[in-house]
């Protein structure tokens, strides 16, 4: 039998195991600090991923085709 799985580390401090109550953080402190980072703008919300291919059969790109 394998021992109890270790809890994943807190995503903020990455030192303490995440507490079920504060998942994925180890404590309220880490949770609040993480939120503060968001509010501070440290984290950047990734822009919407641009789909290179809009869809099949709709290729209007005017690529220079050297023949
Ligand atoms: Zn933590």
């Amino acid at each position: 039998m394998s021992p109890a799985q270790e809890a994943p580390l807190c995503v903020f401090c990455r030192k303490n195991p995440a507490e079920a109550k504060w998942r994925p953080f180890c404590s309220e402190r880490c949770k609040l600090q993480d939120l503060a980072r968001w509010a501070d703008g440290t984290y950047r919300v990734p822009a919407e991923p641009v789909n290179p291919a809009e869809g099949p059969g709709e290729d209007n790109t005017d690529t220079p085709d050297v023949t």
Side-chain angles (χ1 to χ4, degrees):
M1 281 176 70
S2 53
Q5 273 196 321
E6 271 187 55
L9 292 180
C10 166
V11 298
F12 183 77
C13 65
R14 297 198 176 274
K15 282 179 185 174
N16 307 314
E19 197 70 44
K21 189 179 178 183
W22 303 112
R23 266 189 314 180
F25 309 100
C26 67
S27 62
E28 185 179 22
R29 171 182 285 244
C30 276
K31 183 184 178 182
L32 292 179
Q33 285 190 70
D34 190 66
L35 287 176
R37 284 216 294 182
W38 275 94
D40 205 29
T42 308
Y43 279 153
R44 266 205 229 157
V45 180
E48 278 186 42
V50 181
N51 213 351
E54 272 296 292
E58 189 83 52
D59 195 7
N60 288 332
T61 43
D62 203 2
T63 43
D65 197 5
V66 183
T67 314

